[in-house]
């Protein structure tokens, strides 16, 4: 089997396609959550705390400066606000995944808990049932 045909067989498996769809949807969902956190959740939260802009919240270890050659040296800072934004985004994504997995597990349990239909009675049992019903009718 040639490499191209092997790759085609591999790529067309259901699991690979499902994984690709999941990655694309996950990337889009990540962008939605980033926008939600950065533009919707954090600004009112910062306003409630006292006008704090979380995206600009940082601890500056070394201020920006200009070296002897006239080149600007950027500041060295710890971006606490960026970390908090990422943390909130993670919690939202993790909670959404938790809810999805919980729903899938509940559906799986319901599917497994459904009772199987009783097996079809054998010919002997059917014959004995007919005899019993005939005797009762007398």
């Amino acid at each position: 089997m040639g490499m191209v045909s092997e790759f085609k067989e591999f790529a067309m498996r259901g699991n690979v396609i499902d994984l690709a769809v999941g990655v694309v949807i996950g990337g889009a969902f990540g962008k939605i959550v980033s926008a939600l956190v950065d533009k919707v959740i954090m600004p009112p939260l910062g306003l409630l705390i006292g006008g704090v802009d979380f995206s600009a919240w940082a601890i500056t270890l070394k201020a920006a400066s200009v070296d002897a050659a006239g080149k600007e040296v950027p500041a060295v800072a710890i971006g606490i606000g960026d970390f908090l934004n990422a943390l909130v985004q993670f919690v939202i994504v993790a909670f959404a995944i938790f809810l999805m997995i919980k729903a899938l597990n509940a559906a799986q349990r319901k599917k497994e808990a459904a009772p199987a239909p009783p097996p079809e009675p054998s010919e002997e049992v059917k014959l004995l049932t007919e005899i019993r019903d005939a005797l009762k009718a007398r």
Side-chain angles (χ1 to χ4, degrees):
M1 186 178 270
M3 184 181 282
V4 174
S5 60
E6 281 185 61
F7 176 74
K8 183 178 177 184
E9 181 182 336
F10 168 76
M12 291 302 146
R13 281 191 189 144
N15 294 342
V16 174
I17 294 171
D18 292 344
L19 179 62
V21 169
V23 168
V24 170
I25 290 175
F29 183 68
K31 289 180 183 180
I32 292 170
V33 170
S34 294
L36 175 72
V37 170
D38 294 341
K39 306 294 181 190
V40 177
I41 294 175
M42 291 311 236
L45 186 63
L47 185 64
L48 286 174
I49 293 177
V52 176
D53 179 11
F54 283 102
S55 63
W57 193 18
I59 298 174
T60 304
L61 302 176
K62 181 181 175 190
S65 61
V66 178
D67 64 5
K71 186 177 178 185
E72 185 177 334
V73 178
V76 178
I78 299 173
I80 296 172
D82 291 336
F83 174 73
L84 286 176
N85 283 348
L87 187 64
V88 171
Q89 290 172 15
F90 170 76
V91 169
I92 291 171
V93 170
F95 186 68
I97 291 172
F98 167 75
L99 291 177
M100 186 177 71
I101 297 298
K102 184 175 178 177
L104 289 173
N105 286 342
Q108 184 68 23
R109 273 189 240 114
K110 188 181 283 187
K111 185 178 175 183
E112 290 173 356
E120 184 73 23
S122 68
E123 291 298 321
E124 296 164 338
V125 172
K126 287 180 184 178
L127 181 62
L128 289 172
T129 304
E130 287 177 18
I131 294 171
R132 180 197 65 203
D133 293 343
L135 290 173
K136 277 185 183 178
R138 283 187 183 188

